[in-house]
Amino acid sequence: MSEADKQADSRATVSRHARDHLESALSTLAALMHDPKAQAAQVRACENIIAWGAGKPGRYVDIGSLKGLTVYDAVDHVISSVASGQCSLEDGEALIDMLKKRIDLTEVERMRRELEDLKKQRIANVQN
């Protein structure tokens, strides 16, 4: 499993667990909204549960939407999503970093194939 898949799995797990507490967080937040003595930490905890459980609409890039794209097209998609406000700058940077690792791995694989081709050519030249 790739690092990107592990991260996506982790986020999905956190989202599932957050959804389990979503109703309670919303109720608590609604009650705290009218309480002048509400603790900021309680409010922040509720906001985090809601964000992870329900998501922040229009503020993320669905990783599934990047599948099947070349790495370069995926980078373009992320940049467009950040530029249009569909994705936060922080999330866009994290995705670009993840995609950069894929580019590096792709380059390594390309170089390995070239070396393998050279090896085959040398063997063919020796045999002839």
Side-chain angles (χ1 to χ4, degrees):
M1 181 180 281
S2 73
E3 188 62 31
D5 290 337
K6 288 178 187 176
Q7 288 177 352
D9 247 12
S10 293
R11 285 186 174 181
T13 300
V14 170
S15 290
R16 268 195 313 277
H17 290 297
R19 280 192 296 274
D20 292 342
H21 300 283
L22 187 57
E23 188 175 324
S24 174
L26 285 169
S27 295
T28 302
L29 189 57
L32 292 173
M33 182 172 59
H34 302 290
D35 182 356
K37 298 177 186 176
Q39 298 293 317
Q42 288 176 310
V43 173
R44 186 71 187 133
C46 290
E47 290 171 345
N48 283 326
I49 292 292
I50 293 166
W52 278 103
K56 294 180 181 180
R59 296 292 292 162
Y60 66 93
V61 172
D62 178 15
I63 292 180
S65 70
L66 302 177
K67 288 186 179 180
L69 297 178
T70 67
V71 175
Y72 300 102
D73 287 341
V75 168
D76 285 343
H77 180 73
V78 171
I79 291 170
S80 295
S81 296
V82 171
S84 69
Q86 291 177 321
C87 176
S88 70
L89 181 59
E90 295 81 11
D91 288 345
E93 288 173 336
L95 283 168
I96 295 292
D97 287 344
M98 177 188 73
L99 291 167
K100 182 181 179 292
K101 290 176 186 171
R102 283 181 51 194
I103 291 170
D104 292 344
L105 291 174
T106 302
E107 284 300 306
V108 168
E109 286 303 314
R110 184 189 58 77
M111 288 179 218
R112 283 188 183 150
R113 282 194 307 274
E114 286 179 13
L115 286 173
E116 189 63 33
D117 290 344
L118 286 171
K119 181 180 173 183
K120 288 176 185 177
Q121 286 175 358
R122 285 189 181 173
I123 291 171
N125 289 341
V126 169
Q127 291 175 347
N128 291 333

